[in-house]
Structure formats: structure tokens, C-alpha cells
């Protein structure tokens, strides 16, 4: 254990706590990147600079845990753990996602069929609350805060430190891409894997009616003779390989970041799927961080004007969770009424209940459907995002709140435990210095 690293963490956390205690009125978090996808109102809030809380404090290889500051990106944490032959149990696939952001924002990835969601892999948190105190919580210590933090979106306080579980990994991954024509057969295969895992990572992509590709990934120590790992970090695109190959090999590093180079397939929205653009951007700039910057700039004046040159569209960028038994029906409805393709399909188990702001059934696996695109629309703005909410509710599911939400307040609190939330809000932020959950995630304040 490096005492120096812990002392440095405490110094940084104390500095942030002092800034919080020393300011008054409404507060917002200032951090270098964000994966939020909803319009945010300019507010008179003072901003707390959290960027400095981005260090890995300690990797305990024997206990297989990492102690990290809340604003540390998964990219930096993975760089620190791989030399130990370890990786976080669940690694959200966009490099700029931070450990605190994924813990509060509901994180998922292809190992979730074994370990659940990101917050299921968290063991302890230091939460900086509105009056500048830092509260340590875990399943044993202040459990109501620990179980109330996921899906709170910084409205109760900020994760200054996170202790999370690590798993052993091998240097390489062998991938099998299996075609399915029927969704029922695909979800049955995923259900069986959730019950008795026979691989290390599992996900699928829906390309079109009758065209699903299930990817099973196995950790391997060495590559077969005369085999080189594939490289999708520049001219070639990982998502296209799913339709072209039945087997593939990647380094574990490139497997964990396979979706970041093309933001799944969303790089097409900024023309980065075109070879000349890829050649120009090069490996370093072909990443979700670059595309986010371009997307945010395109919403600013005068680029905003370009929008009037093309047909009216509505941005539908969502991740929704549906009990596996309802997954095929949900997808059929989604295809008929919204029709975005491709769709990312990621199964996950629910190893424990009790997360008051994101309570899920524990007797069934779920399917996370991720879809991110513009829908041509002659409907009132928000129509398609509201339709997503209706479909999710209609199939007994839950929607993560990182993007656009159209619920009215009473409908919102039917999905999230208002009483538990208000009790925590009274304890952590009685003066309402942080915007409330509904205010923040629906009203964009
Ligand atoms: C296209 C797209 C695809 C996505 N796919 C996935 C996916 O497959 N897997 C997945 O896991 N996630 C996915 N996400 C969602 C993403 O994980 C969440 O939005 C997550 O919250 C982002 O974390 P961040 O660190 O970027 O935080 P931000 O986007 O900066 O913040 C998210 C929210 O959390 C709050 N917050 C940030 N840090 C902290 C902290 N330390 N303490 C308390 N509150 C904090 C912020 O105030 C904000 O309200 C996707 C998002 C997008 C846009």
C-alpha cells in the first residue's frame, strides 16, 4: 500500500470539499469530458472542479481490488491493472467514461452476464456531500447511501473514491461470431449462458430482421500458431467484422476498447467511417472523445444552421434494460415503431437487489438494448424518446437516465423510489445545493 498515494488522495478530496463548503448556492460538477446526451440549461450554478480527482490510488492484486479516485477514466484504470494480469470486472467501452460516472450513471459491458452492472462490482465509496463532508459507505457502512447512489447522477453527492472488484484476464481473447435468425433463439442462448457461463464475455448485435450476430469471447494465454491479433484501431472497423468473420483474435486491451474507435458504429455520424477521414484522423483521434467534441460543436452556432439543410430528425440515444423473457417482444415493437439499426444487445444478471434508484428483479437476467441515432420525424419533438419510455414500461423494463427523458414527474417516480431518494436527499443535501434527480435528468437543470 502506498501511503503517499493515499495522502495525495485525501489532500485532493479535502481541497474539493473545502471548495464545496466555501461556496454557496447551487453547485455543478466540472469535469473534462461527459457522456451525457441531453440538453442542459445554462444555470447560475457555481462549478466545482473535480478534474484533479483522477488518480489510481492502489491496485491490490492479491485481494483483486482497485482503489481509484472518482474522476479516473476506465482507460487509465485499465492501463494500471493490465500489467497485473487484471481488469475491472465490468469495463464500460467508451474510454472517457469515469468510474464515478459509471457507478452513478449505470454502467454495463459484455462481462455483465457474469458480474452484473458496474455498481454491482463496487465494494466501497467515499461520497462528497453538499456541506463538504466525505461519507464512506458500503454494503455494511451507511448501506442506504451505498444502495441509493447508483442512478443518482450527482444529485446526492460526488464519488470521490471508489473501491471496485478486479478479475484475472489473459493477454488475448478468442472471438466467435455466431449468426442467429430468430430473436427467441438468441435470447434463449443468452439465458443459458447467464445461468451457466461457458465464455468470459458475451454480447450481440441486431443488424436487420433475421440477422443477429452473437459474439462469445474467451480469454486465452497464447495465440494459435501463425495467428496475429486483428487491429481495428485504424482503417478497419470492428462492427463490420462481425458480419464478415466467424472467428477472430484480439489482445485483451483491444478487446476492451473494441467499440471506442468507432463509438460502436456511430462514427458514421461525423463521417469517420470514410477511409480518407480515418487516414487523416489516425489512430489517436479515432475515438469516442473526438466524436463527442465534434457532436457538441455541431450543436453550437453557426454549425447549428446546418440542421436546417437536412430533413427534420429527432435524436434517440438510449440504453434500456428489459427482462429477458420480454426481450423478443420488446425488440419486435421497437423495430416496428422506431426502427433504429444496428442495436447493441448486452445480457446481464442481477446478483443483488436493494438499489433504491435502480431496482431490478433478481429472479431473471435482463437484456440491455443500446441504440443511438437520429430518427426522421414529422412528429412533435420528443415523440420518439417518449415512445421509448412507453415501450420500456410496457415490457417491464427500466431506462438509464444519461440521455433524454420526457417523463412527467409522477410517471418518473413510478420507476424510481421517491421516498428512499427524498430521505437520502434530506440527509446529504438538505439545502438542495445539487439539482434534484428529476430536475437534473428530465428538466436538464
Ligand atoms: C453512445 C453512448 C453509449 C453508451 N453506452 C454505454 C454502455 O454500453 N455501457 C455503459 O456503461 N454506459 C454507456 N453509456 C452511458 C454512460 O456510462 C453513462 O452516461 C455514464 O454516466 C457516463 O459516465 P461519465 O464518467 O462520462 O460521466 P458524465 O457523463 O460526465 O456524468 C454522468 C452523470 O453522472 C454525474 N457524475 C459524474 N461523475 C460523478 C461522480 N464521480 N460522482 C457523482 N456523480 C457523478 C454527472 O453529474 C452526470 O449527471 C453510454 C453513453 C453513450 C452516450
Amino acid at each position: 500500500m502506498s501511503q503517499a498515494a493515499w495522502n495525495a488522495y485525501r489532500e485532493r478530496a479535502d481541497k474539493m470539499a473545502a471548495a464545496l463548503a466555501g461556496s454557496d448556492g447551487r453547485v455543478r460538477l466540472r469535469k473534462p469530458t461527459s457522456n451525457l446526451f441531453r440538453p442542459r440549461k445554462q444555470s447560475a450554478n457555481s462549478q466545482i472542479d473535480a478534474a484533479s480527482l483522477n488518480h489510481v490510488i492502489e491496485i491490490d492484486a492479491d485481494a483483486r481490488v482497485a482503489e481509484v479516485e472518482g474522476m479516473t477514466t476506465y482507460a487509465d484504470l485499465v492501463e494500471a491493472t493490465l500489467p497485473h494480469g487484471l481488469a475491472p470486472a465490468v469495463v464500460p467501452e467508451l474510454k472517457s467514461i469515469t468510474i464515478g460516472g459509471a457507478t452513478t450513471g449505470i454502467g454495463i459491458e459484455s462481462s455483465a452476464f457474469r458480474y452484473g452492472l458496474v455498481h454491482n462490482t463496487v465494494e466501497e465509496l467515499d461520497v462528497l456531500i453538499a456541506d463538504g463532508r466525505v461519507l464512506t459507505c458500503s454494503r455494511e457502512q451507511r448501506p442506504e447511501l451505498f444502495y441509493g447512489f447508483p442512478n443518482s447522477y450527482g444529485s446526492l453527492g460526488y464519488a470521490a473514491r471508489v473501491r471496485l472488484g478486479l478479475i484475472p484476464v489473459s493477454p488475448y481473447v478468442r472471438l466467435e461470431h455466431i449468426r442467429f435468425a430468430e430473436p427467441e433463439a438468441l435470447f434463449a442462448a443468452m439465458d443459458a449462458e447467464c445461468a451457466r457461463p461457458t465464455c468470459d464475455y458475451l454480447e450481440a448485435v441486431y443488424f436487420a430482421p433475421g440477422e443477429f450476430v452473437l459474439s462469445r469471447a474467451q480469454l486465452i494465454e497464447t495465440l494459435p500458431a501463425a495467428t496475429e491479433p486483428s487491429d481495428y484501431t485504424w482503417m478497419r472497423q470492428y462492427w463490420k467484422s462481425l458480419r464478415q468473420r466467424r472467428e477472430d483474435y484480439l489482445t485483451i486491451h483491444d478487446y476492451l476498447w473494441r467499440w471506442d474507435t468507432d463509438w460502436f458504429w456511430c462514427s458514421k455520424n461525423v463521417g469517420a467511417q470514410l477511409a480518407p477521414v480515418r487516414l487523416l484522423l489516425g489512430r489517436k483521434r479515432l475515438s469516442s472523445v473526438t466524436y463527442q467534441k465534434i457532436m457538441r460543436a455541431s450543436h453550437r452556432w453557426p454549425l447549428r444552421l446546418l440542421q436546417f439543410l437536412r430533413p427534420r430528425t429527432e435524436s434517440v440515444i438510449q440504453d434500456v434494460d428489459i427482462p429477458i423473457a420480454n426481450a423478443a417482444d420488446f425488440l419486435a415493437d421497437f423495430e416496428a415503431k422506431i426502427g433504429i439499426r444496428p442495436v447493441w444487445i448486452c445480457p446481464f444478471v442481477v446478483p443483488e437487489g436493494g438499489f433504491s434508484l435502480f431496482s431490478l428483479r433478481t429472479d431473471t437476467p435482463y437484456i440491455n438494448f443500446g441504440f443511438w441515432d437520429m430518427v426522421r420525424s414529422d412528429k412533435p419533438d420528443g415523440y420518439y424518446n417518449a415512445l421509448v419510455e412507453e415501450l420500456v414500461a410496457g415490457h417491464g423494463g427500466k431506462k438509464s437516465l444519461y440521455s433524454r427523458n420526457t417523463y412527467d414527474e409522477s410517471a418518473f417516480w413510478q420507476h424510481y423510489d421517491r421516498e428512499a431518494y427524498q430521505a437520502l436527499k434530506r440527509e446529504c443535501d438538505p439545502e438542495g445545493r445539487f439539482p434534484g434527480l428529476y430536475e437534473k435528468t428530465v428538466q436538464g437543470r
Side-chain angles (χ1 to χ4, degrees), residues 157-318:
Y158 300 129
R161 174 185 63 90
V162 182
R163 177 190 299 156
L164 77 169
L166 305 175
I167 56 170
V169 292
S170 310
Y172 302 101
V173 162
R174 174 178 176 271
L175 280 151
E176 263 180 285
H177 300 312
I178 306 158
R179 273 96 192 119
F180 281 79
E182 299 307 324
E184 291 76 11
L186 172 78
F187 295 125
M190 286 183 158
D191 202 12
E193 279 289 343
C194 288
R196 260 176 308 289
T198 64
C199 60
D200 297 293
Y201 299 95
L202 189 73
E203 63 185 349
V205 174
Y206 168 63
F207 285 101
E211 191 187 359
F212 297 84
V213 177
L214 174 72
S215 300
R216 292 165 38 80
Q218 208 88 34
L219 290 162
I220 54 173
E221 285 303 321
T222 55
L223 293 167
T227 304
E228 283 300 314
S230 295
D231 176 3
Y232 298 105
T233 61
W234 195 12
M235 298 313 288
R236 293 164 62 200
Q237 298 174 51
Y238 177 70
W239 71 278
K240 291 190 175 172
S241 75
L242 305 183
R243 294 168 118 171
Q244 297 154 351
R245 303 179 66 124
R246 302 218 178 245
E247 184 185 49
D248 207 348
Y249 294 87
L250 295 175
T251 64
I252 181 65
H253 178 276
D254 286 0
Y255 176 78
L256 293 173
W257 302 121
R258 66 202 180 285
W259 292 123
D260 187 77
T261 306
D262 278 289
W263 218 6
F264 287 88
W265 33 79
C266 301
S267 61
K268 66 178 169 40
N269 298 333
V270 295
Q273 86 282 16
L274 305 169
V277 177
R278 300 180 83 81
L279 217 52
L280 213 61
L281 285 176
R283 275 193 175 79
K284 213 164 165 321
R285 283 190 292 272
L286 279 168
S287 81
S288 62
V289 173
T290 305
Y291 310 138
Q292 270 161 12
K293 289 188 183 135
I294 298 171
M295 292 284 272
R296 292 196 203 294
S298 73
H299 291 142
R300 283 199 288 271
W301 170 258
L303 285 178
R304 205 182 168 85
L305 284 178
L306 292 176
Q307 291 174 1
F308 299 106
L309 301 175
R310 56 172 190 232
R312 198 156 71 78
T313 56
E314 180 179 328
S315 158
V316 179
I317 293 178
Q318 300 286 356

Side-chain angles (χ1 to χ4, degrees), residues 67-78:
E67 299 277 3
V68 289
E69 294 175 353
M71 309 301 157
T72 307
T73 63
Y74 270 93
D76 290 346
L77 177 55
V78 166

Side-chain angles (χ1 to χ4, degrees), residues 31 34-35 37 71 93 98 101 104 107-108 153 159 344 402 440:
K31 53 196 286 293
S34 174
N35 284 286
F37 261 80
M71 309 301 157
E93 62 295 288
T98 63
T104 195
I108 188 170
Y153 279 81
W344 185 55
Y402 71 80
K440 201 168 187 183

Side-chain angles (χ1 to χ4, degrees), residues 14-40:
D14 292 349
K15 197 159 157 256
M16 194 175 157
L20 199 48
S23 64
D24 53 28
R26 278 273 164 110
V27 171
R28 284 214 89 116
L29 193 63
R30 185 171 55 227
K31 53 196 286 293
T33 61
S34 174
N35 284 286
L36 284 180
F37 261 80
R38 54 170 174 265
R40 292 205 276 179

Side-chain angles (χ1 to χ4, degrees), residues 364-398:
T364 173
Y366 281 69
I367 297 293
N368 171 276
F369 292 97
F371 39 89
W372 318 282
D373 210 344
M374 314 296 270
V375 178
R376 277 231 184 154
S377 172
D378 56 5
K379 310 279 187 209
D381 186 38
Y383 171 86
Y384 285 101
N385 281 286
L387 189 49
V388 169
E389 289 164 8
E390 212 181 288
L391 289 180
V392 170
H395 291 88
K398 262 238 173 15

